[in-house]
Amino acid sequence: MNYIDGFVAAVPVKNKDAYLAHAKKAADVFMEHGALNLVETWGDDVPDGKVTSFPMAVQCKEDEAVVFSWITWPSKEARDLGMQKVMQDERMTNQSNPMPFDGKRLIYGGFQVVLVV
């Protein structure tokens, strides 16, 4: 069964084009190292919550948008090997492909697929 890496971040709206360029460069690297696909989404209808919400989770500011992304891998084993290679790839350094957002507020996790309809 496939394996998913999921990401949520707050990105300054003024950096949307820079974020997309960053994501495209990263996607090429992930795909070269075994990812099946990479999806980037830009928040369009992401309400603030009273107890929990995407904006609260990433401490989204008024001039930022919530970005929700995921990478699909063939398996957790493929992800572990691929991610190791990605992290060693010089194209993923902050000098080669700087993040146009505050990486300290990035939420990341790996997920086992349990249902696909």
Side-chain angles (χ1 to χ4, degrees):
M1 183 79 58
N2 290 347
Y3 194 80
I4 306 294
D5 279 322
F7 308 86
V8 181
V11 178
V13 172
K14 68 181 182 180
N15 290 354
K16 184 176 183 179
D17 290 340
Y19 178 81
L20 289 172
H22 166 83
K24 286 176 186 174
K25 277 178 99 171
D28 288 342
V29 176
F30 282 108
M31 298 297 287
E32 283 181 30
H33 295 299
L36 298 174
N37 68 18
L38 188 142
V39 177
E40 294 285 345
T41 65
W42 190 264
D44 179 56
D45 185 14
V46 186
D48 289 323
K50 292 187 184 200
V51 178
T52 63
S53 70
F54 280 115
M56 289 171 67
V58 294
Q59 301 172 7
C60 194
K61 299 173 184 167
E62 283 194 30
D63 64 340
E64 294 177 324
V66 174
V67 172
F68 177 49
S69 312
W70 63 93
I71 303 169
T72 305
W73 300 90
S75 65
K76 185 173 190 306
E77 295 76 24
R79 177 272 205 154
D80 290 347
L81 182 60
M83 193 61 84
Q84 182 180 21
K85 291 177 181 177
V86 166
M87 292 301 120
Q88 294 172 350
D89 195 302
E90 293 197 15
R91 295 171 291 174
M92 294 297 285
T93 65
N94 201 37
Q95 293 78 24
S96 297
N97 194 13
M99 292 189 297
F101 60 94
D102 181 1
K104 291 180 237 152
R105 293 185 284 144
L106 171 73
I107 297 173
Y108 161 86
F111 299 85
Q112 294 178 354
V113 175
V114 296
L115 177 68
V116 177
V117 180

